[in-house]
């Protein structure tokens, strides 16, 4: 009889271990199913986002002027270590404004 009890306890113990492993595997399966569902939702969401069409052709860029005053205007800010006003940039150049400041009228 003792031998029979020993033989019964071994399968009973193995069954308990198998049930425990099944519970762990069931929990892991639930986690994987949840992850798969999240990925399916992500796929559906990404499929609704419109794909960019072919890039619109950019108009040709205008050529930069070769005039020396233009080059001076471009390099003036690089030659200083402080912010500059537009008049400070144009002052050293050969640029001449077509507008002249109004003449001050003589005091009456």
């Amino acid at each position: 009889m003792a031998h029979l009890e020993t033989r019964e306890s071994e399968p009973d113990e193995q069954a308990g271990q198998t049930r425990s492993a099944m519970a762990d595997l069931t929990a892991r399966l639930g986690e994987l199913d949840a992850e798969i569902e999240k990925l399916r939702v992500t796929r559906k969401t990404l499929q609704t986002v419109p794909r960019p069409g072919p890039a619109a052709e950019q108009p040709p860029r205008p050529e930069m002027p070769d005039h020396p005053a233009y080059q001076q205007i471009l390099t003036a800010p690089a030659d200083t270590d402080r912010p500059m006003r537009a008049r400070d940039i144009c002052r050293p150049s050969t640029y001449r404004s077509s507008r002249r400041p109004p003449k001050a009228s003589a005091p009456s």
Side-chain angles (χ1 to χ4, degrees):
M1 198 58 132
H3 178 63
L4 187 60
E5 287 178 13
T6 304
R7 286 189 65 196
E8 279 182 3
S9 66
E10 286 177 12
D12 192 36
E13 186 178 315
Q14 288 177 355
Q17 290 174 352
T18 303
R19 284 186 190 93
S20 176
M22 285 176 55
D24 292 342
L25 290 172
T26 303
R28 178 69 180 137
L29 182 60
E31 292 170 3
L32 291 172
D33 284 340
E35 183 68 23
I36 289 169
E37 184 59 29
K38 287 178 186 177
L39 290 171
R40 285 184 181 143
V41 169
T42 301
R43 176 186 297 276
K44 285 181 182 180
T45 302
L46 289 176
Q47 287 174 343
T48 62
V49 174
R51 294 181 184 224
E57 194 170 317
Q58 298 292 328
R61 296 179 119 189
E63 291 188 28
M64 293 182 27
D66 262 351
H67 196 274
Y70 183 79
Q71 298 302 322
Q72 287 176 350
I73 290 170
L74 288 179
T75 58
D79 294 339
T80 184
D81 59 345
R82 62 178 179 81
M84 297 181 74
R85 293 178 160 260
R87 67 176 176 215
D88 296 333
I89 293 173
C90 295
R91 191 173 289 147
S93 72
T94 58
Y95 172 75
R96 298 286 182 249
S97 174
S98 60
R99 284 186 65 199
R100 294 188 177 160
K103 292 184 180 183
S105 59
S108 320

